[in-house]
Amino acid sequence: MKIARDIAPPILPLSLEDMGYAVGGKTLLSGITLRIEAGQRLVVMGANGAGKSLFLRLCHGLIDPTQGRRRWASDEARAEAQAMVFQRPVLLRRSVAANLDYPLALKGLPRAARRETVARTLDRFGLNDLAERPARLLSGGEQQRLALARAWAMRPQVLFLDEPSSALDPSATRIIEEMVAQFSDEGITIVMTTHDLGQARRLAAQVAFLHRGRLIEHRPAAEFFAGPEAAEARAFLAGDLIW
Ligand SMILES: Nc1ncnc2c1ncn2[C@@H]1O[C@H](COP(=O)(O)OP(=O)(O)OP(=O)(O)O)[C@@H](O)[C@H]1O
Ligand SMILES: [Mg+2]
C-alpha cells in the first residue's frame, strides 16, 4: 500500500511564482508567491470571496494560472500524486465500495489489489457497515468521510481540502479533523481552507491569509494566531467584517 506513494518521485515542494488568475478582464488572484514544502499542513484563510477556492483549484491544476507560474518538483507523477476533497463531496451514484474502487480502477490498479485496498479502507474508516449502501443515501458526515477515505486510498502525496467540514455538525467535523491529522502524521501534505477559526488553530502548521485575491500573510500558525501583522488579518481574527 505504501509502495505506490514511495516509488513515485516526490512532486513537492510546489512553488508558486507570482501566480495570478484573471477571467473576463477581471483579476481574481494576483502576485502569489509561495512554496509549499512536503509534509506541510497549510491552512488558507480569508473572507468570503478572498480567492481561497480559486487558490486551491489553481494549485491542484483544475485551472491554470493566467500570470506567473505553478511549478512542481516533478511532473512525472503530478496528477496521480494529488487529491482534492470539496465542501460537497462529489460521489458516484453507486455503492460506497464502488466509489472507493472506481478511481483505483481508473488508476490502473489490478482487481486483486483494488479489492484489498477497498477492504482495508472500509475497515480503517469504519465504513464496513455502509459498504453496499448507495453513496448518495449517506448522511452529509458519512459522505464526507467517504470522500476523504477515497482520497486516502489513492495514496496522494498532497491532499487539497476546500472547506471539508463547513456543512457538518460538531461530531462529524471532529471525525474529519481526526482524519486530516492522521493523514498529515502519515506524511501526506495538507493544503486546506476553512472558515472555522477553531479548526484552523487545531490543524494549521502554517497559515496563508488571502485578502481580495492577494496573499498578504504567510507564517507559522503559532505566530499568525499570536498576532498577524496585516491589519486585515487582525480584523478577520477579531471577527470584524473586511472587504
Ligand atoms: N470563473 C469565475 N468567473 C468570474 N469570477 C469568479 C470565477 N470564479 C471565482 N470568481 C470570483 O472570484 C472571487 C474569489 O472566489 P473564491 O471562490 O475563490 O472565493 P473564496 O475565498 O473561496 O470564498 P468563500 O469563502 O465564499 O468560499 C469571488 O469574487 C468570485 O465571485
Ligand atoms: Mg471558497
Side-chain angles (χ1 to χ4, degrees), residues 197 232-242:
L197 287 178
E232 294 87 349
R234 278 201 302 275
F236 181 82
L237 286 187
D240 297 340
L241 282 179
I242 46 168

Side-chain angles (χ1 to χ4, degrees), residues 52-54 87 162-163 193 195:
K52 303 179 297 295
S53 295
L54 271 176
Q87 180 173 4
D162 195 4
E163 316 248 358
T193 69
H195 278 116

Side-chain angles (χ1 to χ4, degrees), residues 21 23-24 26 28-29 46-55 57 63 87 162-163 193 195 210 213:
Y21 184 76
V23 62
K26 202 171 164 233
L28 302 175
L29 278 182
N48 292 133
K52 303 179 297 295
S53 295
L54 271 176
F55 174 83
R57 292 159 62 83
I63 49 177
Q87 180 173 4
D162 195 4
E163 316 248 358
T193 69
H195 278 116
L210 292 177

Side-chain angles (χ1 to χ4, degrees), residues 112-225:
R114 266 155 43 209
R115 201 177 302 126
E116 198 216 5
T117 300
V118 169
R120 189 195 294 242
T121 306
L122 289 168
D123 214 40
R124 170 163 180 186
F125 299 108
L127 293 165
N128 270 320
D129 292 346
L130 303 174
E132 296 314 318
R133 191 93 58 91
R136 304 264 181 127
L137 297 186
L138 301 182
S139 75
E142 290 164 345
Q143 289 195 7
Q144 199 58 301
R145 183 146 46 103
L146 171 58
L148 261 83
R150 184 175 59 179
W152 177 84
M154 298 294 285
R155 313 307 297 164
Q157 293 179 30
V158 54
L159 177 60
F160 296 102
L161 303 118
D162 195 4
E163 316 248 358
S165 62
S166 60
L168 306 183
D169 73 17
S171 77
T173 296
R174 212 187 62 225
I175 291 171
I176 298 302
E177 287 185 13
E178 280 168 7
M179 289 174 81
V180 172
Q182 283 173 20
F183 296 176
S184 174
D185 288 346
E186 290 172 16
I188 299 175
T189 303
I190 303 291
V191 182
M192 68 181 285
T193 69
T194 180
H195 278 116
D196 180 339
L197 287 178
Q199 177 165 84
R201 284 175 191 272
R202 287 188 290 276
L203 289 177
Q206 294 220 338
V207 171
F209 188 84
L210 292 177
H211 179 62
R212 293 183 177 169
R214 292 187 161 271
L215 177 67
I216 61 169
E217 200 143 339
H218 176 218
R219 300 169 69 190
E223 286 179 20
F224 180 84
F225 289 114

